[in-house]
Amino acid sequence: GLVWIPFILVLAFWLKVKDATDIAVKKRQTVFLFSLIALLIVLVALSPAASKINLVVSQFVGWFNGSDPVGTGDYRLEMWLAALLSIQNAPLIGHGTDSFLIQVKSLVDAGLIHQSVSGFNHPHNDYLDILVSHGILGGVIYIGSLWLLLSNLYVGMMAGYKSATIGFYGCLSFLLSGMFQAMLSHTA
């Protein structure tokens, strides 16, 4: 989830540079922006994140080649497959809250997904989690609510409200993170 924060910060700072009117300020901000981008690239390349990214990519490739799931990358793919199969069984209204684990166990018993994901109680994707639990109707309500929030924040951002800009990019970060983690399922 936190992986998007540096990119959102760079984007927000770029928007600030773009709107600067004083040429000297704009030059300083542009140099700072490119320095920040270079620093982020170096930090990612030198950090354990680079090896983690390579590991996840190799897990994805292995999963697509038919290997059994062995780590976070291919576990997610297997959970997403379970979610998609579950959505097919109750597309309109879903299976109910906290039903993913039950659905996964029945899919494992049917031999449709690998048993390695039978202990996960959510698919590590907010959107799929909502569709499994609440169906298309719940998904439309969720996406519609987020669209309403984002569109209002965008209007405020275009009007020059800094708090709306921060809110917009924070909300966007949350939405992007929701594709790889079910933050709404973590209650503790």
Side-chain angles (χ1 to χ4, degrees), residues 6 9-11 13 30-43:
L9 289 174
V10 167
L11 183 60
F13 191 77
T30 302
V31 168
F32 180 77
L33 176 64
F34 283 110
S35 300
L36 182 63
I37 291 170
L39 179 64
L40 284 173
I41 290 170
V42 168
L43 287 177

PDB file of all heavy atoms in Angstrom, residues 6 9-11 13 30-43:
ATOM      1  N   PRO A   6       5.432   7.651  -2.631  1.00  0.00           N
ATOM      2  CA  PRO A   6       6.452   8.505  -3.276  1.00  0.00           C
ATOM      3  C   PRO A   6       6.021   8.994  -4.663  1.00  0.00           C
ATOM      4  O   PRO A   6       6.292  10.129  -5.033  1.00  0.00           O
ATOM      5  CB  PRO A   6       7.676   7.595  -3.389  1.00  0.00           C
ATOM      6  CG  PRO A   6       7.452   6.474  -2.460  1.00  0.00           C
ATOM      7  CD  PRO A   6       5.979   6.347  -2.277  1.00  0.00           C
ATOM      8  N   LEU A   9       3.531  11.769  -4.247  1.00  0.00           N
ATOM      9  CA  LEU A   9       4.208  12.987  -3.807  1.00  0.00           C
ATOM     10  C   LEU A   9       4.942  13.665  -4.960  1.00  0.00           C
ATOM     11  O   LEU A   9       4.896  14.889  -5.095  1.00  0.00           O
ATOM     12  CB  LEU A   9       5.184  12.666  -2.665  1.00  0.00           C
ATOM     13  CG  LEU A   9       4.553  12.302  -1.329  1.00  0.00           C
ATOM     14  CD1 LEU A   9       5.631  11.872  -0.336  1.00  0.00           C
ATOM     15  CD2 LEU A   9       3.757  13.466  -0.771  1.00  0.00           C
ATOM     16  N   VAL A  10       5.607  12.875  -5.800  1.00  0.00           N
ATOM     17  CA  VAL A  10       6.290  13.449  -6.960  1.00  0.00           C
ATOM     18  C   VAL A  10       5.280  14.108  -7.895  1.00  0.00           C
ATOM     19  O   VAL A  10       5.497  15.221  -8.378  1.00  0.00           O
ATOM     20  CB  VAL A  10       7.125  12.381  -7.699  1.00  0.00           C
ATOM     21  CG1 VAL A  10       7.574  12.858  -9.069  1.00  0.00           C
ATOM     22  CG2 VAL A  10       8.326  11.975  -6.861  1.00  0.00           C
ATOM     23  N   LEU A  11       4.149  13.443  -8.119  1.00  0.00           N
ATOM     24  CA  LEU A  11       3.121  14.010  -8.984  1.00  0.00           C
ATOM     25  C   LEU A  11       2.570  15.314  -8.407  1.00  0.00           C
ATOM     26  O   LEU A  11       2.401  16.299  -9.128  1.00  0.00           O
ATOM     27  CB  LEU A  11       1.989  12.999  -9.199  1.00  0.00           C
ATOM     28  CG  LEU A  11       0.881  13.425 -10.136  1.00  0.00           C
ATOM     29  CD1 LEU A  11       1.417  13.722 -11.529  1.00  0.00           C
ATOM     30  CD2 LEU A  11      -0.189  12.348 -10.192  1.00  0.00           C
ATOM     31  N   PHE A  13       4.105  17.354  -6.363  1.00  0.00           N
ATOM     32  CA  PHE A  13       5.132  18.380  -6.461  1.00  0.00           C
ATOM     33  C   PHE A  13       5.264  18.875  -7.898  1.00  0.00           C
ATOM     34  O   PHE A  13       5.451  20.061  -8.140  1.00  0.00           O
ATOM     35  CB  PHE A  13       6.474  17.848  -5.945  1.00  0.00           C
ATOM     36  CG  PHE A  13       7.495  18.930  -5.786  1.00  0.00           C
ATOM     37  CD1 PHE A  13       7.437  19.791  -4.694  1.00  0.00           C
ATOM     38  CD2 PHE A  13       8.485  19.126  -6.726  1.00  0.00           C
ATOM     39  CE1 PHE A  13       8.366  20.808  -4.558  1.00  0.00           C
ATOM     40  CE2 PHE A  13       9.412  20.137  -6.594  1.00  0.00           C
ATOM     41  CZ  PHE A  13       9.357  20.981  -5.509  1.00  0.00           C
ATOM     42  N   THR A  30      11.987  22.728 -10.352  1.00  0.00           N
ATOM     43  CA  THR A  30      12.226  21.704 -11.376  1.00  0.00           C
ATOM     44  C   THR A  30      13.480  20.908 -11.056  1.00  0.00           C
ATOM     45  O   THR A  30      13.484  19.674 -11.157  1.00  0.00           O
ATOM     46  CB  THR A  30      12.335  22.355 -12.773  1.00  0.00           C
ATOM     47  OG1 THR A  30      11.135  23.079 -13.031  1.00  0.00           O
ATOM     48  CG2 THR A  30      12.554  21.316 -13.849  1.00  0.00           C
ATOM     49  N   VAL A  31      14.551  21.596 -10.653  1.00  0.00           N
ATOM     50  CA  VAL A  31      15.784  20.901 -10.257  1.00  0.00           C
ATOM     51  C   VAL A  31      15.504  19.996  -9.055  1.00  0.00           C
ATOM     52  O   VAL A  31      15.943  18.836  -9.027  1.00  0.00           O
ATOM     53  CB  VAL A  31      16.910  21.919  -9.938  1.00  0.00           C
ATOM     54  CG1 VAL A  31      18.078  21.239  -9.247  1.00  0.00           C
ATOM     55  CG2 VAL A  31      17.356  22.628 -11.211  1.00  0.00           C
ATOM     56  N   PHE A  32      14.759  20.504  -8.087  1.00  0.00           N
ATOM     57  CA  PHE A  32      14.412  19.695  -6.921  1.00  0.00           C
ATOM     58  C   PHE A  32      13.583  18.480  -7.333  1.00  0.00           C
ATOM     59  O   PHE A  32      13.814  17.371  -6.854  1.00  0.00           O
ATOM     60  CB  PHE A  32      13.652  20.538  -5.890  1.00  0.00           C
ATOM     61  CG  PHE A  32      13.265  19.752  -4.668  1.00  0.00           C
ATOM     62  CD1 PHE A  32      14.206  19.464  -3.692  1.00  0.00           C
ATOM     63  CD2 PHE A  32      11.966  19.300  -4.508  1.00  0.00           C
ATOM     64  CE1 PHE A  32      13.859  18.730  -2.566  1.00  0.00           C
ATOM     65  CE2 PHE A  32      11.613  18.560  -3.389  1.00  0.00           C
ATOM     66  CZ  PHE A  32      12.565  18.278  -2.423  1.00  0.00           C
ATOM     67  N   LEU A  33      12.622  18.665  -8.227  1.00  0.00           N
ATOM     68  CA  LEU A  33      11.769  17.576  -8.683  1.00  0.00           C
ATOM     69  C   LEU A  33      12.597  16.478  -9.354  1.00  0.00           C
ATOM     70  O   LEU A  33      12.452  15.300  -9.038  1.00  0.00           O
ATOM     71  CB  LEU A  33      10.698  18.096  -9.647  1.00  0.00           C
ATOM     72  CG  LEU A  33       9.794  17.040 -10.284  1.00  0.00           C
ATOM     73  CD1 LEU A  33       8.958  16.345  -9.224  1.00  0.00           C
ATOM     74  CD2 LEU A  33       8.887  17.673 -11.317  1.00  0.00           C
ATOM     75  N   PHE A  34      13.481  16.859 -10.278  1.00  0.00           N
ATOM     76  CA  PHE A  34      14.303  15.858 -10.948  1.00  0.00           C
ATOM     77  C   PHE A  34      15.283  15.198  -9.976  1.00  0.00           C
ATOM     78  O   PHE A  34      15.560  14.003 -10.094  1.00  0.00           O
ATOM     79  CB  PHE A  34      15.031  16.460 -12.150  1.00  0.00           C
ATOM     80  CG  PHE A  34      14.126  16.623 -13.333  1.00  0.00           C
ATOM     81  CD1 PHE A  34      13.737  17.886 -13.756  1.00  0.00           C
ATOM     82  CD2 PHE A  34      13.634  15.516 -14.002  1.00  0.00           C
ATOM     83  CE1 PHE A  34      12.893  18.027 -14.836  1.00  0.00           C
ATOM     84  CE2 PHE A  34      12.785  15.652 -15.085  1.00  0.00           C
ATOM     85  CZ  PHE A  34      12.402  16.918 -15.509  1.00  0.00           C
ATOM     86  N   SER A  35      15.770  15.940  -9.003  1.00  0.00           N
ATOM     87  CA  SER A  35      16.634  15.347  -7.978  1.00  0.00           C
ATOM     88  C   SER A  35      15.855  14.335  -7.152  1.00  0.00           C
ATOM     89  O   SER A  35      16.360  13.258  -6.812  1.00  0.00           O
ATOM     90  CB  SER A  35      17.199  16.429  -7.060  1.00  0.00           C
ATOM     91  OG  SER A  35      17.959  17.349  -7.792  1.00  0.00           O
ATOM     92  N   LEU A  36      14.619  14.672  -6.822  1.00  0.00           N
ATOM     93  CA  LEU A  36      13.760  13.769  -6.053  1.00  0.00           C
ATOM     94  C   LEU A  36      13.476  12.493  -6.840  1.00  0.00           C
ATOM     95  O   LEU A  36      13.557  11.388  -6.300  1.00  0.00           O
ATOM     96  CB  LEU A  36      12.449  14.476  -5.689  1.00  0.00           C
ATOM     97  CG  LEU A  36      11.449  13.717  -4.846  1.00  0.00           C
ATOM     98  CD1 LEU A  36      12.038  13.390  -3.476  1.00  0.00           C
ATOM     99  CD2 LEU A  36      10.179  14.545  -4.675  1.00  0.00           C
ATOM    100  N   ILE A  37      13.188  12.631  -8.125  1.00  0.00           N
ATOM    101  CA  ILE A  37      12.946  11.457  -8.972  1.00  0.00           C
ATOM    102  C   ILE A  37      14.201  10.591  -9.052  1.00  0.00           C
ATOM    103  O   ILE A  37      14.127   9.363  -8.916  1.00  0.00           O
ATOM    104  CB  ILE A  37      12.469  11.897 -10.372  1.00  0.00           C
ATOM    105  CG1 ILE A  37      11.060  12.512 -10.285  1.00  0.00           C
ATOM    106  CG2 ILE A  37      12.480  10.716 -11.344  1.00  0.00           C
ATOM    107  CD1 ILE A  37      10.602  13.194 -11.558  1.00  0.00           C
ATOM    108  N   ALA A  38      15.360  11.214  -9.260  1.00  0.00           N
ATOM    109  CA  ALA A  38      16.622  10.470  -9.335  1.00  0.00           C
ATOM    110  C   ALA A  38      16.891   9.745  -8.018  1.00  0.00           C
ATOM    111  O   ALA A  38      17.311   8.578  -8.010  1.00  0.00           O
ATOM    112  CB  ALA A  38      17.770  11.410  -9.677  1.00  0.00           C
ATOM    113  N   LEU A  39      16.654  10.422  -6.901  1.00  0.00           N
ATOM    114  CA  LEU A  39      16.855   9.808  -5.590  1.00  0.00           C
ATOM    115  C   LEU A  39      15.929   8.607  -5.406  1.00  0.00           C
ATOM    116  O   LEU A  39      16.359   7.558  -4.920  1.00  0.00           O
ATOM    117  CB  LEU A  39      16.625  10.837  -4.482  1.00  0.00           C
ATOM    118  CG  LEU A  39      16.777  10.327  -3.052  1.00  0.00           C
ATOM    119  CD1 LEU A  39      18.216   9.894  -2.798  1.00  0.00           C
ATOM    120  CD2 LEU A  39      16.355  11.392  -2.065  1.00  0.00           C
ATOM    121  N   LEU A  40      14.675   8.738  -5.799  1.00  0.00           N
ATOM    122  CA  LEU A  40      13.738   7.616  -5.683  1.00  0.00           C
ATOM    123  C   LEU A  40      14.195   6.433  -6.527  1.00  0.00           C
ATOM    124  O   LEU A  40      14.133   5.282  -6.077  1.00  0.00           O
ATOM    125  CB  LEU A  40      12.331   8.047  -6.109  1.00  0.00           C
ATOM    126  CG  LEU A  40      11.556   8.884  -5.103  1.00  0.00           C
ATOM    127  CD1 LEU A  40      10.250   9.379  -5.721  1.00  0.00           C
ATOM    128  CD2 LEU A  40      11.274   8.095  -3.846  1.00  0.00           C
ATOM    129  N   ILE A  41      14.677   6.695  -7.738  1.00  0.00           N
ATOM    130  CA  ILE A  41      15.152   5.612  -8.606  1.00  0.00           C
ATOM    131  C   ILE A  41      16.346   4.907  -7.969  1.00  0.00           C
ATOM    132  O   ILE A  41      16.413   3.672  -7.930  1.00  0.00           O
ATOM    133  CB  ILE A  41      15.498   6.164 -10.006  1.00  0.00           C
ATOM    134  CG1 ILE A  41      14.220   6.568 -10.727  1.00  0.00           C
ATOM    135  CG2 ILE A  41      16.288   5.139 -10.816  1.00  0.00           C
ATOM    136  CD1 ILE A  41      14.449   7.353 -12.010  1.00  0.00           C
ATOM    137  N   VAL A  42      17.289   5.677  -7.443  1.00  0.00           N
ATOM    138  CA  VAL A  42      18.468   5.092  -6.796  1.00  0.00           C
ATOM    139  C   VAL A  42      18.064   4.302  -5.557  1.00  0.00           C
ATOM    140  O   VAL A  42      18.530   3.175  -5.348  1.00  0.00           O
ATOM    141  CB  VAL A  42      19.499   6.191  -6.442  1.00  0.00           C
ATOM    142  CG1 VAL A  42      20.583   5.656  -5.527  1.00  0.00           C
ATOM    143  CG2 VAL A  42      20.099   6.766  -7.712  1.00  0.00           C
ATOM    144  N   LEU A  43      17.189   4.856  -4.739  1.00  0.00           N
ATOM    145  CA  LEU A  43      16.761   4.158  -3.528  1.00  0.00           C
ATOM    146  C   LEU A  43      16.060   2.842  -3.844  1.00  0.00           C
ATOM    147  O   LEU A  43      16.294   1.833  -3.183  1.00  0.00           O
ATOM    148  CB  LEU A  43      15.852   5.058  -2.686  1.00  0.00           C
ATOM    149  CG  LEU A  43      16.538   6.207  -1.965  1.00  0.00           C
ATOM    150  CD1 LEU A  43      15.515   7.072  -1.234  1.00  0.00           C
ATOM    151  CD2 LEU A  43      17.573   5.677  -0.977  1.00  0.00           C
TER     152      LEU A  43
END
